[in-house]
Amino acid sequence: MKETTERLILRKPEKDDFERFFEINNDPQTNLYNPNGPMSLEKATSTFNRMLEHWEQNNFGAWAVSEKENPEKIIGFGGLSYKKYGETEKLNLGYRFAPEAWGKGYATEFSKKTIDFGFNDLNEKEIFGVVRPNNIASIKVLEKAGMEQTGKLNDVPDQPESLVYRIQK
């Protein structure tokens, strides 16, 4: 299953993508706003396996993202998945791009396509996103994609609450 935007290719991840997934998620730059810091190999393995399982169970999930100009090199991972917001499961928009992909508008392009996919292909009524309050770049991406802040979530012990964003069809 593949989707495209003007400049990006979004495809279902494969087991062979794990090394790149770990590279991106283990990079201190991509974890500047992550209170847990870079992902360990163990955490990356379990997260990647959960991502593949989400695809098996739901027939959608986080994509491996590459540029149309360079389709072999994955620049990030992200998409829609069911995620617990406290006790409630919500459809969550999430992504993480490698630093070399930053500042090009890819995250916004990706987020708009992902929302469109959620509403039109999955026929969902609302999509959520959660972001650390100091991650200004991601806040701007969610807002440019049409999402609005609707609340806060106490999801990280001893840290400021995350901001919850939502868009409705």
Side-chain angles (χ1 to χ4, degrees), residues 34-45:
N34 181 354
N36 301 317
M39 260 187 211
S40 66
L41 182 60
E42 188 180 357
K43 172 79 170 143
T45 302

Side-chain angles (χ1 to χ4, degrees), residues 9 15 21 38 58 67 77 84 88 94 96 107 124 138 149 152:
I9 298 169
K15 283 187 170 57
F21 179 83
N58 302 286
E67 296 166 308
F77 291 87
K84 286 269 192 200
T88 314
R96 183 162 288 164
E124 293 285 345
S138 281
Q149 188 189 340
K152 293 183 176 182

Side-chain angles (χ1 to χ4, degrees), residues 24-59:
I24 292 170
N25 285 284
N26 184 251
D27 185 332
Q29 280 293 108
T30 66
N31 284 280
L32 287 175
Y33 304 103
N34 181 354
N36 301 317
M39 260 187 211
S40 66
L41 182 60
E42 188 180 357
K43 172 79 170 143
T45 302
S46 70
T47 302
F48 189 77
N49 288 337
R50 273 200 319 278
M51 192 169 78
L52 297 180
E53 285 167 16
H54 192 283
W55 271 97
E56 294 309 311
Q57 292 167 359
N58 302 286
N59 218 22

Side-chain angles (χ1 to χ4, degrees), residues 10-148:
L10 319 176
R11 66 160 174 81
K12 182 179 175 179
E14 301 159 1
K15 283 187 170 57
D16 289 351
D17 298 328
F18 175 75
E19 198 174 307
R20 185 64 176 143
F21 179 83
F22 179 59
E23 222 173 85
I24 292 170
N25 285 284
N26 184 251
D27 185 332
Q29 280 293 108
T30 66
N31 284 280
L32 287 175
Y33 304 103
N34 181 354
N36 301 317
M39 260 187 211
S40 66
L41 182 60
E42 188 180 357
K43 172 79 170 143
T45 302
S46 70
T47 302
F48 189 77
N49 288 337
R50 273 200 319 278
M51 192 169 78
L52 297 180
E53 285 167 16
H54 192 283
W55 271 97
E56 294 309 311
Q57 292 167 359
N58 302 286
N59 218 22
F60 72 90
W63 290 293
V65 182
S66 58
E67 296 166 308
K68 283 183 176 175
E69 290 177 0
N70 187 4
E72 297 308 306
K73 178 150 190 196
I74 295 171
I75 58 167
F77 291 87
L80 295 172
S81 60
Y82 293 112
K83 177 182 168 110
K84 286 269 192 200
Y85 280 54
E87 296 300 304
T88 314
E89 193 173 70
K90 298 181 186 282
L91 188 62
N92 183 72
L93 164 64
Y95 58 83
R96 183 162 288 164
F97 285 96
E100 65 265 23
W102 295 357
K104 299 178 179 179
Y106 287 159
T108 301
E109 187 176 320
F110 168 83
S111 295
K112 287 177 176 176
K113 174 65 179 184
T114 303
I115 289 167
D116 179 66
F117 176 83
F119 288 160
N120 297 313
D121 294 62
L122 301 179
N123 205 26
E124 293 285 345
K125 303 286 180 251
E126 59 184 1
I127 296 169
F128 291 83
V130 65
V131 64
R132 300 300 300 149
N134 56 347
N135 190 344
I136 304 305
S138 281
I139 289 170
K140 286 181 178 172
V141 165
L142 295 180
E143 290 174 350
K144 282 186 210 164
M147 298 182 90
E148 294 177 359

